Every structure is written in structure tokens, then in C-alpha cells.
Amino acid sequence: LSDWSSDVCSSDLGDDLQKLVVTDAHRKSVRAISQHNLVLLLGAPAAGKSTIGASLAIGAADIWQCSTIRATSPEDIQRHLNPAESQFFWIDDAWGNTQYQRQTAEAWNKMFPLMQGAMRKGTRFLLTSRDYIWRAAQHDLKLQAIPELSRSQVVINVQELSTQEKAQILYNHLKLGDQPMGFRTAIKAYLPEIGR
């Protein structure tokens, strides 16, 4: 995968993928990126956006033989965009990590037509954002230049997960996490209630 060392790729993506539980949000994300070459994953912090992103990045490499570029800005996309190559761009927290970064809006507006052209040639884009940041960003973005941002949104709503999905996510995080054994032992009796 481009722009990742193999150690970072195997450890970071591997950890995320081991914890993956296929949810409705995951299935919708796969459909969106397959149909529109773009998916915008929206959700609260720790809702699972990065885990779904890791799954889509690996899928892009396997299914479409795409190189994956983890971009951090519109300028980063422009620097790496190559229409002669099959590419998958993953942009986490596209409009800010914890608050909306208004100063990036104009750079995104300039990038949207280039992204639109690249998508027509098969380049795929995964963007993530916290839902409240996306709501703030929409006022400054020229969304008519890239209508897929509106058509291919997937909202990860933790409250809508089934009891079984919540229990499996909790189990995976405890089994594969780095919590001390004392912590795991102390919470064991509470897990059925927590998983609801």
C-alpha cells in the first residue's frame, strides 16, 4: 500500500480489521464506494469509522487492485493523484479532527472538480468526518461540484447497532485489546449488561 510502511500497514490495519464486525453501516459503505467511487463515513468519535475504512482499503487492494494512499489534506490528494493508476484515497477527519477547520474549505472546493474527474476514471475516495464537523463544513463547501458527497453518505449510529453487533464489538475489543487482566476479570460479570 502506498504511503504506508509495511510495518505500519500490517499492525494498524490488522488491529482494526481483527476487531471488524460487519454491520449495516459497513454494508452500506461497500455499496456506496462500489456505486459512486466515493463514500463519506459520518459518526461520533470511536463509532467505527477507521475500522470500516481499514476494511475498505484492504478490499480496494484486493478487488480493484488499487494502491491505497492515506491523504491528510486536499493538497496531499493533488500531490498523489495519478489518472494512469488505479488508486484508493483514504482521508480521515477530512474537515478537522475535533473541530471544523474553516480555512481548508477553499482548498477542498478547488479539489472537488479534480476528484470528480478522477472518480470518472475509477479512482475511489473514502472520507471520514465527525457528524457535527460535517454539518459545519457544508455551509462553506461547494457540494454541487461533487454531488456524490450527498448521495454516498453513511452515518454510523452506534445507538442503532443490534444487541448482537454491540456484544460482538465489545467481545472483539476485549479479546484483542491491551487491557490488563485485572480489568478484564473485574468487568466480566458486567459484560452482558454492557453489551446491550
Side-chain angles (χ1 to χ4, degrees):
L1 296 174
S2 300
D3 288 277
W4 278 322
S5 71
S6 58
D7 292 341
V8 170
C9 180
S10 61
S11 64
D12 289 354
L13 288 180
D15 289 348
D16 279 342
L17 287 176
Q18 286 181 1
K19 296 173 187 168
L20 177 68
V21 173
V22 177
T23 62
D24 189 46
H26 182 272
R27 287 185 286 275
K28 286 178 180 176
S29 299
V30 170
R31 275 194 304 272
I33 198 125
S34 297
Q35 292 173 359
H36 304 290
N37 287 346
L38 181 141
V39 64
L40 171 58
L41 278 175
L42 300 170
K49 297 182 297 292
S50 293
T51 302
I52 291 174
S55 170
L56 294 177
I58 294 296
D62 289 343
I63 296 166
W64 299 302
Q65 287 74 49
C66 290
S67 60
T68 295
I69 296 103
R70 197 153 186 186
T72 58
S73 67
E75 296 81 10
D76 214 14
I77 295 170
Q78 188 168 10
R79 196 171 23 261
H80 292 93
L81 194 59
N82 182 351
E85 225 180 280
S86 184
Q87 295 178 305
F88 178 93
F89 283 88
W90 179 1
I91 306 98
D92 259 335
D93 299 316
W95 296 279
N97 293 338
T98 58
Q99 63 184 13
Y100 172 46
Q101 302 292 317
R102 178 168 273 114
Q103 68 274 17
T104 66
E106 191 52 37
W108 279 109
N109 287 333
K110 289 178 182 175
M111 191 66 225
F112 288 158
L114 293 174
M115 288 172 63
Q116 188 71 35
M119 286 165 30
R120 284 192 203 104
K121 294 184 179 217
T123 299
R124 289 169 172 82
F125 295 90
L126 161 69
L127 294 96
T128 71
S129 180
R130 294 181 182 190
D131 40 12
Y132 65 90
I133 293 174
W134 170 244
R135 280 192 300 275
Q138 289 179 72
H139 302 291
D140 298 319
L141 297 174
K142 295 178 181 171
L143 299 178
Q144 68 277 13
I146 189 161
E148 289 80 3
L149 274 174
S150 299
R151 289 196 298 253
S152 62
Q153 293 177 17
V154 175
V155 178
I156 303 171
N157 191 341
V158 177
Q159 293 84 355
E160 292 178 4
L161 293 173
S162 72
T163 302
Q164 183 178 357
E165 289 170 338
K166 289 178 190 176
Q168 188 63 55
I169 291 168
L170 178 61
Y171 173 79
N172 289 359
H173 277 79
L174 288 172
K175 180 182 177 197
L176 302 167
D178 58 0
Q179 304 87 1
M181 186 55 77
F183 173 80
R184 291 180 192 197
T185 303
I187 67 162
K188 189 172 184 177
Y190 303 101
L191 291 179
E193 185 63 30
I194 294 170
R196 290 184 195 183

